[in-house]
Amino acid sequence: MPERFTITTPIYYPNDRLHIGHAYTTVAADAIARFHRLRGDDVFFVTGTDEHGQKIEDRAGKVGKTPIAYVDEIVSDIRDLWQVLGISHDDFIRTTESRHEQVVQEVFRRLEAKGDLYLSQYEGWYCTPCESFWVEGKLVDGNCPTCGGPVARLNEESYFFRLSRYAEPLLQHIESHPDFIQPVSRRNEMIQFIRQGLEDLSVSRTSFRWGIPLPQDPRHIAYVWVDALTNYITACGYLQDPERFNRYWPADVHLVGKEIVRFHAVIWPALLLSLDLPLPKVVYGHGWLLLGEQKMSKSRGNVIDPRQLVRRYGRDAVRYYLLREVPFGSDGSYTEDALILRTNVDLANDLGNLLSRTTAMIERFTRGTIPAPSGSSLRGLADETVRRVLERLEKLQVSDAVAAIFELVKRANKFIEEEAPWQLHRSGDGRLGDVLYDLAESLRVTAVLLSPFLLDAPNAIYRQLGLGSAEGATLADAAWGGLPVGTKVERGEPIFPRIETEREDSAAVAEADKGPASPPATEKAAPAAAADETGMITIDEFQRLDLRVGTIVAASRVKGADRLLELTVDLGESDLRTIVSGIAEHYRPEELPGTQIVLVANLQPAKIRGIVSHGMILAGKTSETLQIVSPREALPAGTRIK
Ligand code: MSP
């Protein structure tokens, strides 16, 4: 019996184009929704737009448009963005739709019937960008406690919702439902907040017209947050489609940014209690994507356009970065370098390379057909990976779930090094079939598990394994052994071509603290050529290495890492590189400036202790000593070593 699963994103303000902060929430919700579909659940995934309020009315006025004409345009842009990112919502709700207006009006009638609505005088402070009222005591230095911006004094007639009445029942609910507010830090904040006491909430305005009039007093417009939160029940069919409503309400997860947890975990459940409706099961407040130290936001103007990133790097790379980079729940800084690094390291090297090496070896060693195995070394980890992904997603640990899948990919790559299938082939070892089957089957399981997160790569993997499309795969397909023996692989283009940045023509990296365990750079960069049966490389392959003389111009210790130094290396022609190198136990920073070194200049950048390192210096190491490789006589910085 499939379980039903309802997940929502916040409904976005259509007051400007959306940025990757908004895409972050939506892509995460999409991945979770897709995962539940993969499990066979009956999923209802809803997103939409929050279109009323003074801010929109003002903005539209400024550009000489009616509010509806203004939002129509932005909403169609938002829909298009979700299409670009492959968002699979089942409903897109706009608060300007009549199905929603009817529900909001009925909600106000019911609040009144319950004795929870009364007319009074509102005195306080209002923050327009946050659409929030504040009493004097909550202001910070006279400004809005959420955004720090100025607030305006308000004194007017307003309807109030008896929020104070629900403080106790809410606390009881939170205490008896430990999973209701997640992660636990936000739960604790909310408990604190409610314990300080809840004041009744002003829920109507008379100072603007762009909104839903109260049925009992149409001079008053519904407060935007009551209007907005109610979208969740409208979308589920409240009052209009009882069967659907019973099926899809309460929501399993309201996924929201941490700044609006208070609305979802206090005001919204109080309204639902008043309406005698069941409460959502989980309100999950994720962290922010920051640009530098600051939250990315339209009002600050520090935003990144997701479309541009998709054009440059493809939708899978952008989705992967958003889902993987930041531990879900925490804040994290966005940088394009990190996106490139993630794509090159995880997707191009680890995943892409595994696929090209595997299909290349099957072509060469078993005439392109999947061989029959007699045993498996990777099956245990593959089965365990399925369990881990399920378990982590159950707890909404999105980035950890993705990381678990890549553990399998990494293990499979390492397995190639360990087993050296070209040697098994040469010596006619019967284990060759086991190894190749293990690799191909691990890739297939990976494709199934990745299918909620990435949209194109799983299909490409299926295609290259000779299995058609991964579309329609279910979690049952992640069970080991689904790859039919005898399938003809169809080797294709690399699924994630490495992203070359301008600098990288002459540039690159060090992986100082990874050490010699990582496979040789040539093998990573040139998968097809690398699987040489003899283990020898050609002169062409050697020439792919860009080895250069550089002069160290500065050196300092890396905080918190005993083995690492951060070096600035001059490579001539104004090419100054930052290199993180594991030589701190052998050289003091002050003795290094002026020293010439040999740098592998075209290694992919690597982030080490938060510093992006653009090259690796060569050194010889014994158990006693470590010696940097230097030219015998000084050479101009940048000289190529051949
Ligand atoms: N309209 C309200 C929500 C009403 S829900 C009933 C709103 N809209 S918003 O357009 O400002 O979008 C808010 C959501 O976008 C945040 O809660 C968060 O989920 C997401 N994000 C916006 N900027 C973000 C970051 N910089 N980082 C991560 N998420 C961000 O608030």
Side-chain angles (χ1 to χ4, degrees):
M1 184 65 187
E3 287 182 32
R4 65 97 226 216
F5 182 80
T6 300
I7 181 164
T8 68
T9 72
I11 47 172
Y12 301 99
Y13 291 129
N15 55 5
D16 215 331
R17 299 183 81 177
L18 300 190
H19 54 72
I20 55 162
H22 305 106
Y24 181 67
T25 313
T26 316
V27 167
D30 180 64
I32 298 167
R34 284 174 184 270
F35 190 77
H36 279 268
R37 291 193 198 106
L38 188 75
R39 273 178 39 164
D41 292 345
D42 171 13
V43 171
F44 184 58
F45 167 28
V46 57
T47 187
T49 40
D50 181 2
E51 306 187 12
H52 291 128
Q54 184 159 13
K55 195 160 48 171
I56 303 261
E57 189 176 86
D58 291 351
R59 285 263 186 149
K62 273 199 194 116
V63 292
K65 288 190 176 153
T66 59
I68 192 70
Y70 177 78
V71 292
D72 274 352
E73 223 169 87
I74 300 179
V75 169
S76 85
D77 187 69
I78 293 175
R79 285 179 184 274
D80 178 70
L81 175 62
W82 297 154
Q83 200 160 6
V84 166
L85 286 164
I87 305 303
S88 63
H89 47 278
D90 300 294
D91 196 357
F92 186 103
I93 179 160
R94 301 183 56 175
T95 52
T96 46
E97 288 172 74
S98 84
R99 61 169 168 160
H100 182 62
E101 286 178 15
Q102 288 168 29
V103 169
V104 171
Q105 294 199 326
E106 185 57 26
V107 162
F108 273 92
R109 279 191 205 101
R110 292 187 181 203
L111 295 180
E112 187 174 36
K114 194 75 187 282
D116 281 340
L117 196 70
Y118 63 92
L119 187 63
S120 180
Q121 200 67 19
Y122 180 75
E123 279 182 53
W125 300 89
Y126 189 68
C127 172
T128 308
C130 295
E131 312 261 18
S132 301
F133 299 103
W134 299 100
V135 290
E136 184 94 31
K138 290 258 161 61
L139 299 183
V140 175
D141 299 332
N143 289 320
C144 169
T146 302
C147 72
V151 286
R153 180 88 192 147
L154 284 182
N155 191 343
E156 61 182 51
E157 187 188 271
S158 168
Y159 282 87
F160 282 77
F161 168 60
R162 286 191 205 281
L163 184 60
S164 55
R165 200 187 240 186
Y166 293 96
E168 257 323 297
L170 266 178
L171 273 177
Q172 272 170 23
H173 183 83
I174 295 171
E175 261 144 33
S176 58
H177 296 79
D179 290 338
F180 176 52
I181 306 171
Q182 296 184 39
V184 72
S185 54
R186 318 247 190 267
R187 175 174 192 265
N188 294 339
E189 274 168 35
M190 287 305 114
I191 293 176
Q192 285 294 98
F193 181 80
I194 301 170
R195 282 209 180 122
Q196 285 167 16
L198 296 178
E199 299 187 26
D200 289 349
L201 180 73
S202 160
V203 290
S204 76
R205 318 283 303 115
T206 51
S207 53
F208 65 92
R209 296 306 305 158
W210 180 237
I212 302 175
L214 301 202
Q216 47 276 87
D217 188 348
R219 291 172 308 136
H220 284 255
I221 299 293
Y223 169 44
V224 279
W225 272 99
V226 175
D227 173 345
L229 291 160
T230 306
N231 94 82
Y232 299 128
I233 50 176
T234 306
C236 287
Y238 183 52
L239 303 174
Q240 285 151 4
D241 187 343
E243 202 181 312
R244 213 155 72 85
F245 187 66
N246 286 337
R247 177 136 193 85
Y248 293 116
W249 188 261
D252 293 272
V253 181
H254 285 322
L255 194 62
V256 301
K258 65 179 184 182
E259 80 287 6
I260 58 172
V261 169
R262 189 167 60 94
F263 295 96
H264 286 80
V266 179
I267 297 178
W268 180 226
L271 288 167
L272 289 167
L273 287 173
S274 176
L275 295 168
D276 294 315
L277 290 175
L279 306 194
K281 293 184 192 151
V282 173
V283 173
Y284 191 100
H286 66 66
W288 288 337
L289 272 194
L290 310 172
L291 209 57
E293 302 284 292
Q294 287 191 318
K295 180 181 180 226
M296 201 176 287
S297 82
K298 288 173 284 202
S299 48
R300 288 203 185 92
N302 60 342
V303 296
I304 303 287
D305 175 10
R307 276 193 190 81
Q308 209 174 35
L309 296 181
V310 170
R311 268 197 300 276
R312 260 186 229 156
Y313 306 116
R315 61 177 183 175
D316 273 5
V318 175
R319 286 176 66 104
Y320 182 72
Y321 173 76
L322 293 174
L323 294 167
R324 172 70 183 90
E325 184 71 6
V326 183
F328 207 57
S330 312
D331 289 351
S333 286
Y334 164 84
T335 69
E336 195 158 335
D337 272 355
L339 192 160
I340 293 173
L341 199 66
R342 276 274 166 218
T343 310
N344 281 346
V345 174
D346 296 5
L347 300 179
N349 278 354
D350 289 352
L351 181 61
N353 210 11
L354 178 63
L355 181 65
S356 14
R357 293 165 98 191
T358 302
T359 49
M361 289 189 290
I362 291 173
E363 274 196 347
R364 270 208 226 161
F365 304 149
T366 56
R367 291 181 308 285
T369 40
I370 303 288
S374 55
S376 169
S377 304
L378 296 182
R379 178 183 187 151
L381 180 62
D383 290 348
E384 178 58 27
T385 303
V386 178
R387 274 194 295 277
R388 279 184 198 157
V389 171
L390 268 167
E391 194 182 287
R392 291 175 190 186
L393 273 180
E394 203 62 52
K395 297 186 197 148
L396 301 174
Q397 296 166 344
V398 180
S399 94
D400 292 347
V402 181
I405 305 173
F406 276 79
E407 287 305 311
L408 176 61
V409 173
K410 283 203 189 89
R411 177 72 197 102
N413 273 316
K414 191 134 184 283
F415 189 58
I416 299 181
E417 315 300 320
E418 290 167 2
E419 296 293 333
W422 45 93
Q423 280 170 15
L424 299 177
H425 175 62
R426 212 173 30 211
S427 61
D429 192 317
R431 272 190 318 123
L432 179 67
D434 296 358
V435 171
L436 294 181
Y437 189 90
D438 261 359
L439 293 172
E441 180 60 348
S442 296
L443 272 161
R444 196 193 60 79
V445 171
T446 296
V448 174
L449 291 178
L450 276 180
S451 63
F453 307 100
L454 305 186
L455 307 179
D456 304 313
N459 285 329
I461 296 173
Y462 255 56
R463 230 177 4 256
Q464 295 204 22
L465 290 176
L467 298 171
S469 152
E471 224 115 316
T474 68
L475 199 60
D477 294 309
W480 189 266
L483 177 59
V485 170
T487 307
K488 268 258 176 251
V489 301
E490 291 170 23
R491 206 163 149 225
E493 295 294 304
I495 52 172
F496 289 103
R498 221 179 102 66
I499 302 165
E500 301 291 344
T501 60
E502 283 162 31
R503 251 181 342 195
E504 282 178 277
D505 298 341
S506 63
V509 213
E511 291 193 319
D513 57 355
K514 286 200 183 157
S518 55
T522 45
E523 184 157 345
K524 284 189 158 189
D532 187 294
E533 295 165 48
T534 63
M536 305 293 268
I537 61 166
T538 64
I539 187 76
D540 287 344
E541 282 163 3
F542 170 73
Q543 273 164 1
R544 291 172 58 88
L545 268 181
D546 189 14
L547 296 176
R548 286 182 192 264
V549 174
T551 309
I552 298 177
V553 293
S556 58
R557 294 191 181 279
V558 173
K559 247 202 226 137
D562 294 339
R563 293 177 48 222
L564 300 181
L565 291 186
E566 178 179 355
L567 308 176
T568 307
V569 174
D570 179 10
L571 275 195
E573 295 183 0
S574 345
D575 188 356
L576 275 185
R577 299 284 186 88
T578 298
I579 311 288
V580 178
S581 184
I583 57 173
E585 288 164 334
H586 305 274
Y587 293 92
R588 278 174 287 119
E590 50 287 9
E591 70 185 277
L592 287 172
T595 305
Q596 288 213 304
I597 48 89
V598 175
L599 186 80
V600 184
N602 60 345
L603 261 190
Q604 294 172 354
K607 200 172 187 181
I608 301 166
R609 301 278 176 156
I611 304 167
V612 180
S613 180
H614 295 273
M616 175 170 79
I617 67 170
L618 298 187
K621 191 173 179 192
T622 67
S623 50
E624 278 89 50
T625 179
L626 179 146
Q627 291 293 324
I628 288 174
V629 174
S630 278
R632 267 167 73 93
E633 306 275 358
L635 283 168
T639 303
R640 179 122 200 221
I641 310 247
K642 303 186 216 178

